[in-house]
Amino acid sequence: MFLNRSLAFPSSVRLLACACFVALLSSSAFAEKKPVLPDWLKEAAKQPLPSYPANTNAVVLLSDTTYTVSGDLRAVEHHRVAIKILRPQGRGYAHLGASYDGDSKLRLLKIWSIGPDGHEYELKDNEIADHGSYEGYLLYSDDRYRGGTAPAGDPGAIVAMEYEREARPYSTEYIWHVQEELPVLKERLKLELPPGVEYKEVWKGKKETVPVDLEKGKYLWEVSNEPPVDLRDVNMAPEWRGQTKRMSVHYFGAPIPNATKGSWESIGEWYDVLAKGRNDATPEMTAKAQELIAGKTDFAEKVQSIAEYVQSQIRYVAIEIGVGGYQPHPAQQIYKNKYGDCKDKATLLSAMLSGVGIRSTWVMVDSDRGVVDPNAPSIAGNHMIAAIELPADYESSKLHAIVKANNGKRYLIFDPTWEYTPFGHLEYNLQGGYGVLMDGKYSQVIAFPILDPEMNSIRRTGQFKLAEDGSLTGQIIESRFGDIADRHRRLFRTGTEKEQHEIFDRMLGRDLVNFSYDGLKVENTMELTKDLKMSYALKASSFARPAGSLLMMRPRVLGTDSLETDRKARVYPIDLGAAREVKDDYEIELPQGYVADEIPDPVKMDMGWASYESASKVEGGKLHYTRTYVVRQVELPAAKYEEVQKLAGVIGYDEQSNVVLKKK
């Protein structure tokens, strides 16, 4: 709908060569030409606004799109948007523009504004600039962005844009983003189709309106007063993109040879055409695959050898030109260059597996849970992974991310791009979500499993000695496995010594004030199927606090798992992050002559979707504290917020509880 990004454009300076010549010219020769604002913008600016919450930064007065499919089946999107800025924090919405590439040329772009004082502006062509879209591991893309900053974009101003852009010729789906981060006063979508072409609409979220048939292949959808998806102050907020409503219009017919038709099957068949032959194995790839599985007879071991090769030895580098944003490069090219993007790595994995008789295919997903909606067939995904077909009745303790298709086939879902996910697992942000199995006429949406919490675990053990002055010394051993080890594996593989110290300082600083550590030893950094182990000596001064003749201390040395909640009415789902299991086991030798006068009561609560328990006891002059925190779900409905509040209270109470020591 609109882009809110900060851009800086150089100003143009006009130099005059002769002051005498300037004096001869009338002042009217240099007068700025008054901008001519379009009628649609003037009408939008006149609309009265309803009452909005005080923290509303801006409001979309009008979002109007006409999507025209011509007789030659080329489509053009004509879009208008007007935004009123309400608060200083909304100034960023004065940055307006549109993206394009070689297959979606930008035919027109105009930007206007009406200042708070009523002064009217129009950006000149030399005040609108083009920028590339190179980010991260994107080596080259023909994606471009053209835009500028509307003048006088202060509270009370109205900024507006109109553009016309050619649609990509290989896509027959238009996605209408009905809901945004701002409230929308009025929005319209007009669809114009040539004879012989029909459409199907599918909604993600509540259906907001029905189309008006304008006859002769023209249809109009209108929505008013659409609320925003505002997650700024929401604790445990879900992914924003997964919460927004959208409508997809799929258009198809006899004149269009390869089109999505508003079904998952048609989307899979559409992708089959784009990817056909791209995952064919060459003799070189087959030889490498056979080399990797040499001596292995178990199916899972064979797949693991090839999967880990693609995961670790093929660099993630993206080169995307036009259809290359969707179509993978040929496997032969990926294997030769030893790099590719997500769909390329999934393609190479498929080719190498096929070389040893193992079938696999692609799965389209999105990195944000909720974007792929089982009720809204769409190509609205940003990531591609692999589905590896399992032999009938085959079982293995190594394989956890398994799904079953409608035709009875079982698949291991594996992402060769996510370089720190153990084989047989699935990264946390995909668990509990959906993907599109691209398998021709058998294509379908599939639900991803939530892995057992033990597959994503932290285990901390510590042996300590408490001195009478309150200082604590001892040894910590921490083991991490699964996605929860991702950050630390990355840190110890690629981070500098300074970065490692900074991360550890922040991690320990959550629980301790004055501390030091040394002798850090790390094991199994890149052995993903083994625990990442970290051990180090820890010293914390003032761990126990004197209170007269007493000492007060927290039995929990490290590990903060408290949940941040509030008392606001919950509207959005609750994002718990990831299924996980965290266990702490600490033993603290008490100072000579001290005994425990007060010990926190044991805590135990099981909500089904999560459980928490802890216990403290003193035996033989030593305090022993254990706790286990298990999260079994990744997302809860808003109606469960009261349960989350209860669990948050229990965890918070336990983490702040103290043992009181006194001298005998």
Side-chain angles (χ1 to χ4, degrees), residues 235-238 369 428 456 563 565 570 573-580 608-610 629-637 640-641 643-644 647:
N235 291 318
M236 292 179 284
R369 191 184 300 119
Y428 74 94
N456 195 41
L563 303 170
T565 60
R570 188 76 186 195
I574 304 149
D575 192 328
L576 299 173
R580 59 196 181 275
W609 49 268
Y629 178 38
V630 180
V631 178
R632 303 182 184 93
Q633 296 293 323
V634 295
E635 190 173 274
L636 299 175
K640 292 279 187 180
Y641 196 49
E643 292 184 14
V644 176
L647 182 61

PDB file of all heavy atoms in Angstrom, residues 235-238 369 428 456 563 565 570 573-580 608-610 629-637 640-641 643-644 647:
ATOM      1  N   ASN A 235       2.528  -7.145  24.654  1.00  0.00           N
ATOM      2  CA  ASN A 235       3.481  -8.120  25.169  1.00  0.00           C
ATOM      3  C   ASN A 235       3.289  -9.456  24.453  1.00  0.00           C
ATOM      4  O   ASN A 235       2.168  -9.846  24.130  1.00  0.00           O
ATOM      5  CB  ASN A 235       3.282  -8.324  26.669  1.00  0.00           C
ATOM      6  CG  ASN A 235       3.678  -7.106  27.472  1.00  0.00           C
ATOM      7  OD1 ASN A 235       4.699  -6.482  27.203  1.00  0.00           O
ATOM      8  ND2 ASN A 235       2.868  -6.743  28.455  1.00  0.00           N
ATOM      9  N   MET A 236       4.411 -10.152  24.220  1.00  0.00           N
ATOM     10  CA  MET A 236       4.370 -11.454  23.544  1.00  0.00           C
ATOM     11  C   MET A 236       3.545 -11.358  22.261  1.00  0.00           C
ATOM     12  O   MET A 236       2.665 -12.169  21.987  1.00  0.00           O
ATOM     13  CB  MET A 236       3.815 -12.535  24.474  1.00  0.00           C
ATOM     14  CG  MET A 236       4.744 -12.849  25.635  1.00  0.00           C
ATOM     15  SD  MET A 236       4.095 -14.105  26.748  1.00  0.00           S
ATOM     16  CE  MET A 236       2.883 -13.128  27.642  1.00  0.00           C
ATOM     17  N   ALA A 237       3.820 -10.331  21.486  1.00  0.00           N
ATOM     18  CA  ALA A 237       3.050 -10.063  20.275  1.00  0.00           C
ATOM     19  C   ALA A 237       3.367 -11.084  19.189  1.00  0.00           C
ATOM     20  O   ALA A 237       4.517 -11.491  19.018  1.00  0.00           O
ATOM     21  CB  ALA A 237       3.350  -8.659  19.765  1.00  0.00           C
ATOM     22  N   PRO A 238       2.367 -11.509  18.417  1.00  0.00           N
ATOM     23  CA  PRO A 238       2.626 -12.373  17.262  1.00  0.00           C
ATOM     24  C   PRO A 238       3.264 -11.570  16.141  1.00  0.00           C
ATOM     25  O   PRO A 238       3.380 -10.344  16.224  1.00  0.00           O
ATOM     26  CB  PRO A 238       1.221 -12.853  16.882  1.00  0.00           C
ATOM     27  CG  PRO A 238       0.325 -11.726  17.308  1.00  0.00           C
ATOM     28  CD  PRO A 238       0.955 -11.155  18.567  1.00  0.00           C
ATOM     29  N   ARG A 369       5.236 -16.646  11.120  1.00  0.00           N
ATOM     30  CA  ARG A 369       4.116 -17.555  11.318  1.00  0.00           C
ATOM     31  C   ARG A 369       2.789 -16.818  11.121  1.00  0.00           C
ATOM     32  O   ARG A 369       2.596 -15.731  11.641  1.00  0.00           O
ATOM     33  CB  ARG A 369       4.186 -18.163  12.724  1.00  0.00           C
ATOM     34  CG  ARG A 369       3.228 -19.312  12.958  1.00  0.00           C
ATOM     35  CD  ARG A 369       3.292 -19.800  14.402  1.00  0.00           C
ATOM     36  NE  ARG A 369       4.631 -20.270  14.754  1.00  0.00           N
ATOM     37  CZ  ARG A 369       5.382 -19.744  15.711  1.00  0.00           C
ATOM     38  NH1 ARG A 369       4.946 -18.715  16.406  1.00  0.00           N
ATOM     39  NH2 ARG A 369       6.575 -20.235  15.977  1.00  0.00           N
ATOM     40  N   TYR A 428      12.177 -22.947  14.892  1.00  0.00           N
ATOM     41  CA  TYR A 428      11.059 -22.636  15.777  1.00  0.00           C
ATOM     42  C   TYR A 428       9.999 -21.762  15.115  1.00  0.00           C
ATOM     43  O   TYR A 428       8.796 -21.917  15.386  1.00  0.00           O
ATOM     44  CB  TYR A 428      11.576 -21.939  17.043  1.00  0.00           C
ATOM     45  CG  TYR A 428      11.990 -20.507  16.832  1.00  0.00           C
ATOM     46  CD1 TYR A 428      11.108 -19.467  17.068  1.00  0.00           C
ATOM     47  CD2 TYR A 428      13.270 -20.178  16.376  1.00  0.00           C
ATOM     48  CE1 TYR A 428      11.471 -18.150  16.866  1.00  0.00           C
ATOM     49  CE2 TYR A 428      13.640 -18.872  16.163  1.00  0.00           C
ATOM     50  CZ  TYR A 428      12.741 -17.855  16.415  1.00  0.00           C
ATOM     51  OH  TYR A 428      13.107 -16.553  16.202  1.00  0.00           O
ATOM     52  N   ASN A 456      14.493 -28.757  22.105  1.00  0.00           N
ATOM     53  CA  ASN A 456      14.932 -27.354  22.147  1.00  0.00           C
ATOM     54  C   ASN A 456      15.148 -27.020  23.616  1.00  0.00           C
ATOM     55  O   ASN A 456      14.243 -26.530  24.290  1.00  0.00           O
ATOM     56  CB  ASN A 456      13.849 -26.463  21.528  1.00  0.00           C
ATOM     57  CG  ASN A 456      14.345 -25.082  21.189  1.00  0.00           C
ATOM     58  OD1 ASN A 456      15.451 -24.915  20.686  1.00  0.00           O
ATOM     59  ND2 ASN A 456      13.545 -24.077  21.461  1.00  0.00           N
ATOM     60  N   LEU A 563       7.640 -14.027  32.325  1.00  0.00           N
ATOM     61  CA  LEU A 563       6.837 -13.584  31.192  1.00  0.00           C
ATOM     62  C   LEU A 563       6.326 -12.173  31.454  1.00  0.00           C
ATOM     63  O   LEU A 563       5.854 -11.878  32.552  1.00  0.00           O
ATOM     64  CB  LEU A 563       5.640 -14.519  30.981  1.00  0.00           C
ATOM     65  CG  LEU A 563       5.978 -16.000  30.760  1.00  0.00           C
ATOM     66  CD1 LEU A 563       4.707 -16.838  30.800  1.00  0.00           C
ATOM     67  CD2 LEU A 563       6.684 -16.190  29.433  1.00  0.00           C
ATOM     68  N   THR A 565       3.639  -9.554  31.189  1.00  0.00           N
ATOM     69  CA  THR A 565       2.207  -9.424  30.929  1.00  0.00           C
ATOM     70  C   THR A 565       1.724  -8.079  31.457  1.00  0.00           C
ATOM     71  O   THR A 565       2.448  -7.366  32.146  1.00  0.00           O
ATOM     72  CB  THR A 565       1.415 -10.555  31.609  1.00  0.00           C
ATOM     73  OG1 THR A 565       1.631 -10.491  33.029  1.00  0.00           O
ATOM     74  CG2 THR A 565       1.847 -11.916  31.090  1.00  0.00           C
ATOM     75  N   ARG A 570      -6.888  -8.483  26.053  1.00  0.00           N
ATOM     76  CA  ARG A 570      -6.088  -9.095  24.997  1.00  0.00           C
ATOM     77  C   ARG A 570      -6.911  -9.254  23.737  1.00  0.00           C
ATOM     78  O   ARG A 570      -8.035  -9.773  23.766  1.00  0.00           O
ATOM     79  CB  ARG A 570      -5.559 -10.455  25.448  1.00  0.00           C
ATOM     80  CG  ARG A 570      -4.550 -11.082  24.493  1.00  0.00           C
ATOM     81  CD  ARG A 570      -3.192 -10.427  24.591  1.00  0.00           C
ATOM     82  NE  ARG A 570      -2.256 -10.923  23.586  1.00  0.00           N
ATOM     83  CZ  ARG A 570      -0.949 -10.738  23.630  1.00  0.00           C
ATOM     84  NH1 ARG A 570      -0.414 -10.051  24.620  1.00  0.00           N
ATOM     85  NH2 ARG A 570      -0.167 -11.203  22.686  1.00  0.00           N
ATOM     86  N   PRO A 573      -3.390 -12.951  19.312  1.00  0.00           N
ATOM     87  CA  PRO A 573      -2.837 -14.199  19.849  1.00  0.00           C
ATOM     88  C   PRO A 573      -1.566 -13.937  20.652  1.00  0.00           C
ATOM     89  O   PRO A 573      -0.918 -12.899  20.518  1.00  0.00           O
ATOM     90  CB  PRO A 573      -2.547 -15.021  18.589  1.00  0.00           C
ATOM     91  CG  PRO A 573      -3.437 -14.460  17.540  1.00  0.00           C
ATOM     92  CD  PRO A 573      -3.555 -12.995  17.846  1.00  0.00           C
ATOM     93  N   ILE A 574      -1.215 -14.898  21.481  1.00  0.00           N
ATOM     94  CA  ILE A 574      -0.057 -14.787  22.379  1.00  0.00           C
ATOM     95  C   ILE A 574       1.079 -15.623  21.802  1.00  0.00           C
ATOM     96  O   ILE A 574       0.941 -16.837  21.625  1.00  0.00           O
ATOM     97  CB  ILE A 574      -0.423 -15.280  23.786  1.00  0.00           C
ATOM     98  CG1 ILE A 574      -1.636 -14.497  24.313  1.00  0.00           C
ATOM     99  CG2 ILE A 574       0.761 -15.178  24.731  1.00  0.00           C
ATOM    100  CD1 ILE A 574      -2.516 -15.295  25.236  1.00  0.00           C
ATOM    101  N   ASP A 575       2.178 -14.996  21.492  1.00  0.00           N
ATOM    102  CA  ASP A 575       3.327 -15.680  20.911  1.00  0.00           C
ATOM    103  C   ASP A 575       4.275 -16.110  22.032  1.00  0.00           C
ATOM    104  O   ASP A 575       4.854 -15.274  22.725  1.00  0.00           O
ATOM    105  CB  ASP A 575       4.055 -14.756  19.929  1.00  0.00           C
ATOM    106  CG  ASP A 575       5.068 -15.498  19.077  1.00  0.00           C
ATOM    107  OD1 ASP A 575       5.648 -16.488  19.570  1.00  0.00           O
ATOM    108  OD2 ASP A 575       5.288 -15.105  17.930  1.00  0.00           O
ATOM    109  N   LEU A 576       4.431 -17.413  22.194  1.00  0.00           N
ATOM    110  CA  LEU A 576       5.309 -17.954  23.234  1.00  0.00           C
ATOM    111  C   LEU A 576       6.721 -18.213  22.721  1.00  0.00           C
ATOM    112  O   LEU A 576       7.558 -18.738  23.462  1.00  0.00           O
ATOM    113  CB  LEU A 576       4.713 -19.247  23.796  1.00  0.00           C
ATOM    114  CG  LEU A 576       3.333 -19.095  24.452  1.00  0.00           C
ATOM    115  CD1 LEU A 576       2.777 -20.465  24.824  1.00  0.00           C
ATOM    116  CD2 LEU A 576       3.401 -18.204  25.682  1.00  0.00           C
ATOM    117  N   GLY A 577       6.974 -17.859  21.487  1.00  0.00           N
ATOM    118  CA  GLY A 577       8.328 -18.000  20.946  1.00  0.00           C
ATOM    119  C   GLY A 577       8.586 -19.368  20.370  1.00  0.00           C
ATOM    120  O   GLY A 577       8.541 -19.574  19.166  1.00  0.00           O
ATOM    121  N   ALA A 578       8.860 -20.330  21.243  1.00  0.00           N
ATOM    122  CA  ALA A 578       9.217 -21.668  20.784  1.00  0.00           C
ATOM    123  C   ALA A 578       8.905 -22.674  21.872  1.00  0.00           C
ATOM    124  O   ALA A 578       8.964 -22.364  23.071  1.00  0.00           O
ATOM    125  CB  ALA A 578      10.709 -21.726  20.429  1.00  0.00           C
ATOM    126  N   ALA A 579       8.573 -23.889  21.456  1.00  0.00           N
ATOM    127  CA  ALA A 579       8.479 -24.986  22.418  1.00  0.00           C
ATOM    128  C   ALA A 579       9.884 -25.234  22.965  1.00  0.00           C
ATOM    129  O   ALA A 579      10.855 -25.255  22.210  1.00  0.00           O
ATOM    130  CB  ALA A 579       7.929 -26.228  21.734  1.00  0.00           C
ATOM    131  N   ARG A 580       9.994 -25.422  24.265  1.00  0.00           N
ATOM    132  CA  ARG A 580      11.319 -25.562  24.860  1.00  0.00           C
ATOM    133  C   ARG A 580      11.226 -26.176  26.249  1.00  0.00           C
ATOM    134  O   ARG A 580      10.164 -26.180  26.880  1.00  0.00           O
ATOM    135  CB  ARG A 580      12.015 -24.198  24.950  1.00  0.00           C
ATOM    136  CG  ARG A 580      11.252 -23.171  25.777  1.00  0.00           C
ATOM    137  CD  ARG A 580      11.769 -21.767  25.508  1.00  0.00           C
ATOM    138  NE  ARG A 580      11.088 -20.746  26.291  1.00  0.00           N
ATOM    139  CZ  ARG A 580       9.940 -20.173  25.943  1.00  0.00           C
ATOM    140  NH1 ARG A 580       9.314 -20.551  24.836  1.00  0.00           N
ATOM    141  NH2 ARG A 580       9.401 -19.224  26.691  1.00  0.00           N
ATOM    142  N   GLY A 608      -1.038 -27.140  30.859  1.00  0.00           N
ATOM    143  CA  GLY A 608      -1.239 -27.907  29.634  1.00  0.00           C
ATOM    144  C   GLY A 608      -0.309 -27.425  28.544  1.00  0.00           C
ATOM    145  O   GLY A 608       0.533 -28.178  28.053  1.00  0.00           O
ATOM    146  N   TRP A 609      -0.430 -26.164  28.174  1.00  0.00           N
ATOM    147  CA  TRP A 609       0.439 -25.597  27.135  1.00  0.00           C
ATOM    148  C   TRP A 609       1.826 -25.258  27.679  1.00  0.00           C
ATOM    149  O   TRP A 609       2.773 -25.052  26.924  1.00  0.00           O
ATOM    150  CB  TRP A 609      -0.199 -24.362  26.513  1.00  0.00           C
ATOM    151  CG  TRP A 609      -0.717 -23.352  27.506  1.00  0.00           C
ATOM    152  CD1 TRP A 609      -1.971 -23.277  28.020  1.00  0.00           C
ATOM    153  CD2 TRP A 609       0.028 -22.287  28.101  1.00  0.00           C
ATOM    154  NE1 TRP A 609      -2.069 -22.228  28.910  1.00  0.00           N
ATOM    155  CE2 TRP A 609      -0.854 -21.598  28.965  1.00  0.00           C
ATOM    156  CE3 TRP A 609       1.338 -21.838  27.981  1.00  0.00           C
ATOM    157  CZ2 TRP A 609      -0.450 -20.491  29.717  1.00  0.00           C
ATOM    158  CZ3 TRP A 609       1.737 -20.745  28.728  1.00  0.00           C
ATOM    159  CH2 TRP A 609       0.841 -20.085  29.578  1.00  0.00           C
ATOM    160  N   ALA A 610       1.955 -25.217  29.009  1.00  0.00           N
ATOM    161  CA  ALA A 610       3.251 -24.980  29.660  1.00  0.00           C
ATOM    162  C   ALA A 610       3.155 -25.450  31.099  1.00  0.00           C
ATOM    163  O   ALA A 610       2.060 -25.537  31.683  1.00  0.00           O
ATOM    164  CB  ALA A 610       3.630 -23.501  29.604  1.00  0.00           C
ATOM    165  N   TYR A 629      11.081 -25.743  33.503  1.00  0.00           N
ATOM    166  CA  TYR A 629      10.100 -24.921  32.803  1.00  0.00           C
ATOM    167  C   TYR A 629       9.927 -25.512  31.417  1.00  0.00           C
ATOM    168  O   TYR A 629      10.893 -25.642  30.653  1.00  0.00           O
ATOM    169  CB  TYR A 629      10.595 -23.478  32.716  1.00  0.00           C
ATOM    170  CG  TYR A 629       9.692 -22.524  31.979  1.00  0.00           C
ATOM    171  CD1 TYR A 629       8.308 -22.583  32.080  1.00  0.00           C
ATOM    172  CD2 TYR A 629      10.239 -21.529  31.166  1.00  0.00           C
ATOM    173  CE1 TYR A 629       7.499 -21.690  31.406  1.00  0.00           C
ATOM    174  CE2 TYR A 629       9.432 -20.615  30.492  1.00  0.00           C
ATOM    175  CZ  TYR A 629       8.066 -20.704  30.609  1.00  0.00           C
ATOM    176  OH  TYR A 629       7.266 -19.815  29.943  1.00  0.00           O
ATOM    177  N   VAL A 630       8.698 -25.893  31.082  1.00  0.00           N
ATOM    178  CA  VAL A 630       8.409 -26.527  29.805  1.00  0.00           C
ATOM    179  C   VAL A 630       7.332 -25.728  29.077  1.00  0.00           C
ATOM    180  O   VAL A 630       6.276 -25.437  29.648  1.00  0.00           O
ATOM    181  CB  VAL A 630       7.925 -27.985  29.995  1.00  0.00           C
ATOM    182  CG1 VAL A 630       7.617 -28.621  28.636  1.00  0.00           C
ATOM    183  CG2 VAL A 630       8.965 -28.804  30.743  1.00  0.00           C
ATOM    184  N   VAL A 631       7.602 -25.377  27.821  1.00  0.00           N
ATOM    185  CA  VAL A 631       6.614 -24.724  26.957  1.00  0.00           C
ATOM    186  C   VAL A 631       6.298 -25.693  25.824  1.00  0.00           C
ATOM    187  O   VAL A 631       7.196 -26.105  25.097  1.00  0.00           O
ATOM    188  CB  VAL A 631       7.139 -23.389  26.388  1.00  0.00           C
ATOM    189  CG1 VAL A 631       6.106 -22.757  25.457  1.00  0.00           C
ATOM    190  CG2 VAL A 631       7.488 -22.435  27.516  1.00  0.00           C
ATOM    191  N   ARG A 632       5.015 -26.058  25.682  1.00  0.00           N
ATOM    192  CA  ARG A 632       4.614 -27.081  24.713  1.00  0.00           C
ATOM    193  C   ARG A 632       3.961 -26.506  23.464  1.00  0.00           C
ATOM    194  O   ARG A 632       3.807 -27.203  22.465  1.00  0.00           O
ATOM    195  CB  ARG A 632       3.654 -28.074  25.378  1.00  0.00           C
ATOM    196  CG  ARG A 632       4.247 -28.750  26.625  1.00  0.00           C
ATOM    197  CD  ARG A 632       3.289 -29.766  27.217  1.00  0.00           C
ATOM    198  NE  ARG A 632       3.835 -30.327  28.451  1.00  0.00           N
ATOM    199  CZ  ARG A 632       3.578 -29.842  29.664  1.00  0.00           C
ATOM    200  NH1 ARG A 632       2.759 -28.792  29.802  1.00  0.00           N
ATOM    201  NH2 ARG A 632       4.118 -30.388  30.731  1.00  0.00           N
ATOM    202  N   GLN A 633       3.512 -25.252  23.513  1.00  0.00           N
ATOM    203  CA  GLN A 633       2.874 -24.613  22.371  1.00  0.00           C
ATOM    204  C   GLN A 633       3.697 -23.398  21.950  1.00  0.00           C
ATOM    205  O   GLN A 633       4.539 -22.914  22.709  1.00  0.00           O
ATOM    206  CB  GLN A 633       1.449 -24.171  22.726  1.00  0.00           C
ATOM    207  CG  GLN A 633       0.505 -25.311  23.056  1.00  0.00           C
ATOM    208  CD  GLN A 633       0.224 -26.193  21.850  1.00  0.00           C
ATOM    209  OE1 GLN A 633       0.106 -25.717  20.729  1.00  0.00           O
ATOM    210  NE2 GLN A 633       0.130 -27.487  22.080  1.00  0.00           N
ATOM    211  N   VAL A 634       3.447 -22.914  20.743  1.00  0.00           N
ATOM    212  CA  VAL A 634       4.159 -21.727  20.259  1.00  0.00           C
ATOM    213  C   VAL A 634       3.254 -20.506  20.200  1.00  0.00           C
ATOM    214  O   VAL A 634       3.730 -19.371  20.202  1.00  0.00           O
ATOM    215  CB  VAL A 634       4.796 -21.974  18.874  1.00  0.00           C
ATOM    216  CG1 VAL A 634       5.887 -23.031  18.970  1.00  0.00           C
ATOM    217  CG2 VAL A 634       3.742 -22.374  17.845  1.00  0.00           C
ATOM    218  N   GLU A 635       1.950 -20.729  20.149  1.00  0.00           N
ATOM    219  CA  GLU A 635       1.009 -19.619  20.079  1.00  0.00           C
ATOM    220  C   GLU A 635      -0.293 -20.017  20.750  1.00  0.00           C
ATOM    221  O   GLU A 635      -0.753 -21.154  20.618  1.00  0.00           O
ATOM    222  CB  GLU A 635       0.752 -19.217  18.622  1.00  0.00           C
ATOM    223  CG  GLU A 635      -0.025 -17.931  18.450  1.00  0.00           C
ATOM    224  CD  GLU A 635      -0.115 -17.483  17.001  1.00  0.00           C
ATOM    225  OE1 GLU A 635       0.807 -16.794  16.533  1.00  0.00           O
ATOM    226  OE2 GLU A 635      -1.103 -17.842  16.335  1.00  0.00           O
ATOM    227  N   LEU A 636      -0.878 -19.062  21.473  1.00  0.00           N
ATOM    228  CA  LEU A 636      -2.139 -19.297  22.171  1.00  0.00           C
ATOM    229  C   LEU A 636      -3.164 -18.272  21.717  1.00  0.00           C
ATOM    230  O   LEU A 636      -2.808 -17.137  21.376  1.00  0.00           O
ATOM    231  CB  LEU A 636      -1.951 -19.167  23.688  1.00  0.00           C
ATOM    232  CG  LEU A 636      -0.981 -20.118  24.378  1.00  0.00           C
ATOM    233  CD1 LEU A 636      -0.852 -19.736  25.847  1.00  0.00           C
ATOM    234  CD2 LEU A 636      -1.435 -21.559  24.239  1.00  0.00           C
ATOM    235  N   PRO A 637      -4.449 -18.629  21.751  1.00  0.00           N
ATOM    236  CA  PRO A 637      -5.482 -17.630  21.448  1.00  0.00           C
ATOM    237  C   PRO A 637      -5.546 -16.581  22.547  1.00  0.00           C
ATOM    238  O   PRO A 637      -5.133 -16.821  23.690  1.00  0.00           O
ATOM    239  CB  PRO A 637      -6.760 -18.466  21.389  1.00  0.00           C
ATOM    240  CG  PRO A 637      -6.473 -19.675  22.215  1.00  0.00           C
ATOM    241  CD  PRO A 637      -5.007 -19.953  22.031  1.00  0.00           C
ATOM    242  N   LYS A 640      -6.653 -17.152  26.192  1.00  0.00           N
ATOM    243  CA  LYS A 640      -5.792 -17.824  27.177  1.00  0.00           C
ATOM    244  C   LYS A 640      -4.923 -16.838  27.958  1.00  0.00           C
ATOM    245  O   LYS A 640      -4.097 -17.252  28.774  1.00  0.00           O
ATOM    246  CB  LYS A 640      -4.876 -18.820  26.450  1.00  0.00           C
ATOM    247  CG  LYS A 640      -5.598 -20.022  25.853  1.00  0.00           C
ATOM    248  CD  LYS A 640      -5.864 -21.084  26.896  1.00  0.00           C
ATOM    249  CE  LYS A 640      -6.412 -22.348  26.296  1.00  0.00           C
ATOM    250  NZ  LYS A 640      -6.674 -23.383  27.315  1.00  0.00           N
ATOM    251  N   TYR A 641      -5.122 -15.551  27.741  1.00  0.00           N
ATOM    252  CA  TYR A 641      -4.222 -14.574  28.363  1.00  0.00           C
ATOM    253  C   TYR A 641      -4.282 -14.615  29.884  1.00  0.00           C
ATOM    254  O   TYR A 641      -3.270 -14.413  30.565  1.00  0.00           O
ATOM    255  CB  TYR A 641      -4.544 -13.165  27.858  1.00  0.00           C
ATOM    256  CG  TYR A 641      -3.445 -12.159  28.124  1.00  0.00           C
ATOM    257  CD1 TYR A 641      -2.124 -12.436  27.800  1.00  0.00           C
ATOM    258  CD2 TYR A 641      -3.727 -10.930  28.696  1.00  0.00           C
ATOM    259  CE1 TYR A 641      -1.113 -11.524  28.025  1.00  0.00           C
ATOM    260  CE2 TYR A 641      -2.726 -10.002  28.930  1.00  0.00           C
ATOM    261  CZ  TYR A 641      -1.421 -10.300  28.597  1.00  0.00           C
ATOM    262  OH  TYR A 641      -0.428  -9.388  28.833  1.00  0.00           O
ATOM    263  N   GLU A 643      -4.638 -17.225  31.707  1.00  0.00           N
ATOM    264  CA  GLU A 643      -3.771 -18.328  32.124  1.00  0.00           C
ATOM    265  C   GLU A 643      -2.298 -17.913  32.054  1.00  0.00           C
ATOM    266  O   GLU A 643      -1.495 -18.281  32.915  1.00  0.00           O
ATOM    267  CB  GLU A 643      -4.019 -19.555  31.232  1.00  0.00           C
ATOM    268  CG  GLU A 643      -5.384 -20.188  31.413  1.00  0.00           C
ATOM    269  CD  GLU A 643      -5.541 -21.454  30.580  1.00  0.00           C
ATOM    270  OE1 GLU A 643      -4.508 -21.971  30.084  1.00  0.00           O
ATOM    271  OE2 GLU A 643      -6.674 -21.929  30.422  1.00  0.00           O
ATOM    272  N   VAL A 644      -1.950 -17.164  31.012  1.00  0.00           N
ATOM    273  CA  VAL A 644      -0.571 -16.680  30.879  1.00  0.00           C
ATOM    274  C   VAL A 644      -0.228 -15.765  32.050  1.00  0.00           C
ATOM    275  O   VAL A 644       0.875 -15.844  32.614  1.00  0.00           O
ATOM    276  CB  VAL A 644      -0.377 -15.950  29.540  1.00  0.00           C
ATOM    277  CG1 VAL A 644       1.026 -15.358  29.440  1.00  0.00           C
ATOM    278  CG2 VAL A 644      -0.617 -16.894  28.371  1.00  0.00           C
ATOM    279  N   LEU A 647       0.498 -17.929  35.123  1.00  0.00           N
ATOM    280  CA  LEU A 647       1.814 -18.563  35.062  1.00  0.00           C
ATOM    281  C   LEU A 647       2.913 -17.527  35.239  1.00  0.00           C
ATOM    282  O   LEU A 647       3.918 -17.780  35.921  1.00  0.00           O
ATOM    283  CB  LEU A 647       1.981 -19.294  33.732  1.00  0.00           C
ATOM    284  CG  LEU A 647       3.311 -20.043  33.562  1.00  0.00           C
ATOM    285  CD1 LEU A 647       3.466 -21.124  34.627  1.00  0.00           C
ATOM    286  CD2 LEU A 647       3.422 -20.655  32.167  1.00  0.00           C
TER     287      LEU A 647
END
